Amino acid sequence: KVLKNGYFKTNYCLQKKLKCSIIIPTCNGGSVLERCLTSIYKNSNSSKFEIILIDNGSNCSKTLSLLSNFNDEHKNFKIIKDHSSFNYSALNNKAVKNCNNDILIFLNDDTEILTQNWLDDLMNNAARSRIGAVGAKLLYPNGTIQHAGVILGIGGVAGHAFRSMQKDTPVQMNRANISQNLSAVTGACLAVEKSKFESVMGFDEKYLKVAFNDIDLCLKLLTKGYKNLYLPQVILKHYESYTRGYEDTDSKKKRFHNEVMVMKKRWN
């Protein structure tokens, strides 16, 4: 397919009919979570996915009512209750054990799907034998880029490419708008084949409980010989850090520093 910008997009149509498990951790997600879930069902074929919702201790009535309603209305909606301390890696690893499909899609509850073909694009590429993790283009609520792939070294460990630039910025030979292999993609929307995820022991729930677990996963996939892929045609809005907040307390800063040190020591 020829794109308006003069470049090409390849559509992979695999013979095998793929299904995926969309894994979403949440805690009192409320209206943010509702927007995320509604956008999934609006832009996806329900026969191709199941949602595994990990409820990490929600206690607000709006969220609990929302979860109950979605559970009643959709047969492909499953809730896992987990009241342990927040550990992003452990929550997702636990959810994977309850997944019934070949493709995993890890998704933040503060995202909103904007493109209708997102599921097929992610699944068909994640199922390719040489591909590891597959990521998307994420936008801030104001429409500028939040994530167009991850570049190692930014900020000391890793950072997002083209952050805060216009959605279709043509800089660097239009790179933000072209499918390409990158070292890593963000876990806010990340697809990977279940067998590949398990082959690298999933997310590191011991040393990377909150930060950099997605980068670490991508680098482990690279060492296995897979290539990670960024897809600009899969577009979401990301209301970043809405649910869990920023690294703005002494304990959070200490934990974040320790995770930075783990990454630097492990990956030089």
Side-chain angles (χ1 to χ4, degrees):
K1 178 180 178 181
V2 181
L3 305 177
K4 292 180 180 179
N5 55 30
Y7 292 85
F8 295 89
K9 172 181 178 289
T10 301
N11 291 318
Y12 289 90
C13 300
L14 305 181
Q15 292 182 346
K16 183 178 180 180
K17 291 185 178 181
L18 298 171
K19 291 186 178 182
C20 69
S21 297
I22 303 173
I23 299 171
I24 307 174
T26 195
C27 177
N28 293 330
S31 58
V32 173
L33 174 63
E34 182 176 17
R35 178 174 52 212
C36 175
L37 296 174
T38 300
S39 73
I40 293 173
Y41 282 101
K42 176 184 176 182
N43 293 291
S44 315
N45 183 334
S46 293
S47 66
K48 295 184 178 182
F49 71 91
E50 64 173 354
I51 291 179
I52 308 293
L53 197 292
I54 320 159
D55 179 15
N56 189 211
S58 294
N59 55 17
C60 80
S61 58
K62 183 174 182 178
T63 299
L64 295 175
S65 176
L66 173 70
L67 296 181
S68 178
N69 290 339
F70 268 88
N71 194 43
D72 291 340
E73 293 173 7
H74 302 284
K75 294 181 180 179
N76 60 344
F77 189 84
K78 183 190 300 183
I79 301 172
I80 299 175
K81 297 283 187 178
D82 190 308
H83 294 279
S84 61
S85 299
F86 178 63
N87 180 329
Y88 177 89
S89 296
L91 290 172
N92 283 286
N93 286 344
K94 180 178 181 179
V96 169
K97 296 176 182 178
N98 289 271
C99 292
N100 299 317
N101 298 310
D102 295 332
I103 306 295
L104 309 172
I105 297 181
F106 298 99
L107 191 66
N108 279 20
D109 66 351
D110 56 356
T111 57
E112 179 182 4
I113 312 300
L114 300 182
T115 49
Q116 289 192 333
N117 293 328
W118 76 290
L119 208 59
D120 286 337
D121 281 333
L122 289 176
M123 288 197 298
N124 287 339
N125 280 282
R128 293 164 57 193
S129 60
R130 295 182 62 198
I131 297 298
V134 184
K137 178 185 282 188
L138 305 184
L139 307 178
Y140 287 116
N142 67 4
T144 60
I145 294 173
Q146 189 266 342
H147 168 272
V150 171
I151 306 299
L152 299 183
I154 296 177
V157 176
H160 294 179
F162 304 103
R163 197 173 195 133
S164 297
M165 293 188 180
Q166 293 301 308
K167 170 186 172 183
D168 296 319
T169 178
V171 300
Q172 294 189 6
M173 299 184 68
N174 208 40
R175 189 171 174 180
N177 306 305
I178 300 172
S179 300
Q180 63 201 271
N181 296 123
L182 288 166
S183 298
V185 293
T186 179
C189 177
L190 184 154
V192 63
E193 210 164 20
K194 186 178 180 181
S195 60
K196 298 168 187 171
F197 179 83
E198 292 175 335
S199 74
V200 296
M201 308 303 291
F203 292 112
D204 182 349
E205 57 189 72
K206 183 176 181 180
Y207 296 109
L208 299 173
K209 297 180 179 180
V210 179
F212 304 120
N213 37 58
D214 49 356
I215 311 304
D216 181 67
L217 174 72
C218 288
L219 295 180
K220 290 190 292 186
L221 289 166
L222 284 183
T223 63
K224 283 279 189 175
Y226 299 113
K227 293 181 179 293
N228 300 314
L229 181 65
Y230 160 68
L231 297 179
Q233 71 269 26
V234 179
I235 304 174
L236 299 80
K237 276 189 181 179
H238 187 198
Y239 303 82
E240 189 181 28
S241 299
Y242 183 94
T243 305
R244 291 292 175 174
Y246 294 96
E247 309 289 358
D248 54 1
T249 66
D250 288 342
S251 61
K252 286 184 179 181
K253 289 177 181 177
K254 181 178 179 181
R255 187 261 309 145
F256 181 76
H257 173 75
N258 291 338
E259 290 168 335
V260 167
M261 292 299 102
V262 168
M263 289 296 290
K264 288 187 172 183
K265 182 177 180 180
R266 182 176 297 172
W267 299 109
N268 195 26

